[in-house]
């Protein structure tokens, strides 16, 4: 009887071991996935404002980053006839260390779904801020049950411009030196005249620091308000003047009806919904065997914010959401061309529309936090100067002595 119990126990242990081994082997086996590559490599990309300044960057706006998504099966082969849905989110908010565009932190930058006959989706997107971006990707088959759908989260980290750290260090040194000099002056032996609460040099220094702090506060707030109202006219009810696109938003040409529709205006930090549709005006049937090329351009400085090339869905439509992070007019241009193997051949043409984008000033909390940092650095220098001066000066009584009249 004892031998029988032992044999059952050993058999149960063996069965559990076999099941666990199979489960571990299955979990470690290759699974269908989505691969992300960028061109140029992400460590060579800089945020928008950093690249456009002559001091910190190249002085011009670089082309947008090309994001390439490749759906592959368990053997690493590309999935054919897929549909890829991409949602791109900016780096999360960090109120203590804000970026150049605090309004767009932690928001959805892009939402687009496109057909991927070769399992690949490519978009070009300008990345406005540093930090870790999140990509939520969903891959589904165009033919039912051709493969199992894929849901995957990817990340890419955009580094800050190294020159910003260098110039920030220089600014910190300057502010510390100002505070250190002030502390050194205040900590010295100075005579107090009758009726005075502090020596004249100390009073002048403190008054100067107060004036500088007030001026800095006014400058931070006024510059932010001017940035917010830069795109609004002084007369109430008047909107920003948007230059004409030069192309219609709806056009019939060569047997095709093409229309660009969606939001007529946008606000920084909020996604705008846009859509282009292609149909046959004679039959009112959707046209799918065409290639659509979308380009969004900021008109003030003529840099490309977003670009995509793909085919419409079964309804002859291509819809997407994009977020604008610069308060300036933008041009949306969609060019249509025939596919190489399509029976319908025609000369490419395009529709376009210019939309105004309303700028949004940084929150007051962000401005005050930045001002607090700079003030705190000066105070640290001030305390350091007082400490050094007290160590040098012999403690033979009060540092400030009233003069005897």
């Amino acid at each position: 009887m004892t031998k029988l119990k032992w044999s059952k126990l050993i058999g149960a242990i063996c069965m559990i071991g076999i099941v666990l081994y199979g489960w571990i082997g299955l979990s470690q086996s290759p699974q269908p996935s989505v691969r992300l590559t960028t061109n140029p490599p992400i460590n060579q990309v800089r945020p928008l404002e950093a690249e456009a300044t002559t001091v910190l960057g190249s002085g011009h706006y670089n082309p947008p980053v090309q994001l390439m998504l490749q759906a592959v099966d368990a053997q690493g082969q590309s999935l054919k006839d897929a549909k890829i849905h991409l949602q791109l989110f900016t780096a999360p908010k960090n109120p203590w260390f804000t970026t150049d565009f605090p309004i767009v932190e932690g928001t959805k930058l892009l939402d687009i779904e496109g057909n991927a006959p070769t399992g690949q989706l490519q978009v070009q997107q300008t990345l406005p801020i540093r930090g870790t971006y999140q990509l939520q990707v969903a891959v589904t088959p165009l033919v039912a049950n051709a493969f199992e759908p894929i849901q995957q989260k990817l990340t890419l980290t955009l580094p800050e411009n190294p020159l910003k750290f260098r110039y920030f260090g220089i600014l910190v040194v300057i502010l510390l030196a100002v505070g250190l000099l002030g502390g050194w002056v205040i900590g010295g032996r100075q005579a107090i005249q009758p009726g005075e609460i502090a020596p004249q040099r100390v009073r002048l220094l403190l008054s100067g620091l107060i004036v500088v702090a007030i001026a800095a506060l006014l400058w931070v707030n006024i510059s932010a308000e001017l940035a917010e109202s830069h795109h609004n006219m002084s007369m109430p009810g008047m909107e920003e003047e948007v230059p004409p696109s030069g192309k219609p938003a709806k056009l019939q040409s060569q047997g095709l009806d093409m229309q660009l529709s969606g939001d007529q205006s946008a606000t920084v930090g909020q996604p705008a919904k846009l859509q282009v549709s292609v149909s046959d005006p004679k039959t009112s049937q959707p046209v799918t065997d065409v290639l659509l090329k979308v380009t969004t351009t900021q008109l003030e400085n003529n840099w490309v914010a977003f670009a995509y090339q793909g085919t419409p869905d079964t309804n002859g439509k291509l819809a997407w959401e994009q977020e604008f992070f610069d308060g300036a007019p933008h041009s949306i241009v969609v060019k249509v061309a025939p596919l190489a193997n399509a029976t319908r051949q025609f000369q490419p043409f395009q529709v376009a529309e210019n939309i105004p984008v309303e700028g949004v000033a940084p929150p007051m909390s962000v401005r005050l936090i930045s001002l607090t940092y700079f003030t705190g650095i000066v105070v640290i220098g001030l305390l350091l100067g007082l400490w050094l001066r007290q160590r040098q000066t012999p403690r033979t009584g009060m540092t400030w002595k009233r003069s005897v009249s």
Side-chain angles (χ1 to χ4, degrees):
M1 187 67 179
T2 304
K3 291 183 178 180
L4 182 60
K5 290 182 178 180
W6 275 106
S7 62
K8 289 182 177 180
L9 179 61
I10 293 173
I13 293 175
C14 291
M15 288 296 296
I16 294 174
I18 292 173
V19 172
L20 289 176
Y21 179 79
W23 180 78
I24 294 174
L26 182 63
S27 64
Q28 292 180 348
S29 62
Q31 299 292 324
S33 61
V34 179
R35 299 172 181 173
L36 170 65
T37 56
T38 65
N39 184 27
I42 196 62
N43 59 357
Q44 299 179 10
V45 181
R46 295 294 178 263
L48 175 70
E49 286 299 312
E51 69 186 20
T53 56
T54 56
V55 177
L56 296 176
S58 59
H60 64 275
Y61 293 92
N62 293 325
V65 183
Q66 188 175 41
L67 306 177
M68 293 169 284
L69 299 172
Q70 183 69 57
V72 297
D73 58 17
Q75 288 72 39
Q77 301 297 319
S78 298
L79 293 173
K80 305 297 183 181
D81 297 327
K83 178 182 290 185
I84 299 180
H85 182 198
L86 168 64
Q87 297 182 81
L88 176 62
F89 297 86
T90 60
K93 288 182 177 295
N94 187 344
W96 305 112
F97 300 98
T98 185
T99 62
D100 291 339
F101 298 93
I103 299 299
V104 304
E105 295 173 3
T107 59
K108 184 164 62 175
L109 188 61
L110 178 65
D111 190 335
I112 189 171
E113 184 178 61
N115 294 336
T118 61
Q120 186 177 82
L121 178 76
Q122 295 187 18
V123 299
Q124 297 181 55
Q125 177 67 55
T126 293
L127 303 178
I129 59 176
R130 68 174 185 272
T132 300
Y133 292 72
Q134 184 181 94
L135 297 87
Q136 295 184 4
V137 185
V139 183
T140 55
L142 290 174
V143 180
N145 302 322
F147 57 85
E148 289 294 327
I150 303 173
Q151 299 278 345
Q152 190 169 343
K153 291 184 179 180
L154 304 169
T155 59
L156 58 87
T157 302
L158 181 64
E160 183 60 280
N161 187 356
L163 289 176
K164 277 198 170 185
F165 297 108
R166 180 187 303 177
Y167 285 108
F168 178 74
I170 294 174
L171 178 60
V172 169
V173 171
I174 294 175
L175 295 176
L176 281 175
V178 171
L180 184 65
L181 178 62
W184 184 269
V185 172
I186 294 176
R189 291 175 176 272
Q190 301 176 45
I192 302 179
Q193 301 299 327
E196 295 180 340
I197 61 174
Q200 183 180 9
R201 283 190 295 174
V202 175
R203 287 185 285 110
L204 290 175
L205 179 62
L206 293 176
S207 300
L209 289 176
I210 293 174
V211 171
V212 170
I214 294 175
L217 181 61
L218 290 174
W219 179 81
V220 169
N221 286 276
I222 292 175
S223 60
E225 295 301 326
L226 288 176
E228 183 178 16
S229 61
H230 172 68
H231 305 286
N232 297 323
M233 303 298 292
S234 59
M235 295 297 293
M238 295 187 65
E239 297 181 353
E240 177 188 9
E241 183 179 354
V242 180
S245 62
K247 298 288 183 180
K250 182 178 181 180
L251 181 64
Q252 283 190 12
S253 176
Q254 305 173 76
L256 291 178
D257 188 354
M258 186 177 180
Q259 181 176 3
L260 175 61
S261 59
D263 293 340
Q264 302 298 312
S265 62
T267 302
V268 170
Q270 299 179 13
K273 297 181 179 181
L274 298 163
Q275 176 181 279
V276 61
S277 60
V278 184
S279 61
D280 189 327
K282 294 182 179 179
T283 62
S284 299
Q285 294 298 312
V287 176
T288 59
D289 56 347
V290 293
L291 185 66
L292 300 174
K293 182 178 180 181
V294 181
T295 305
T296 300
T297 306
Q298 195 259 30
L299 294 177
E300 282 190 355
N301 304 106
N302 199 35
W303 49 266
V304 177
F306 165 73
Y308 170 74
Q309 183 172 287
T311 58
D313 60 15
T314 55
N315 298 317
K317 298 179 180 180
L318 173 65
W320 74 98
E321 295 182 17
Q322 66 177 107
E323 180 184 61
F324 297 92
F325 43 83
D326 190 17
H330 284 66
S331 172
I332 316 294
V333 178
V334 182
K335 182 178 181 180
V336 61
L339 293 175
N341 56 352
T343 56
R344 186 196 307 263
Q345 295 295 318
F346 56 91
Q347 291 296 321
F349 62 95
Q350 63 186 27
V351 293
E353 186 167 357
N354 293 353
I355 62 174
V357 179
E358 180 183 356
V360 179
M364 179 64 70
S365 58
V366 173
R367 307 178 220 170
L368 293 179
I369 288 174
S370 301
L371 182 62
T372 301
Y373 286 156
F374 295 143
T375 305
I377 295 172
V378 175
V379 171
I380 291 174
L382 186 68
L383 296 176
L384 183 61
L386 284 171
W387 179 73
L388 292 175
R389 190 58 182 261
Q390 288 178 1
R391 288 196 60 182
Q392 185 189 46
T393 304
R395 304 181 68 86
T396 58
M398 293 182 62
T399 304
W400 294 342
K401 296 182 178 180
R402 293 189 179 276
S403 62
V404 180
S405 58

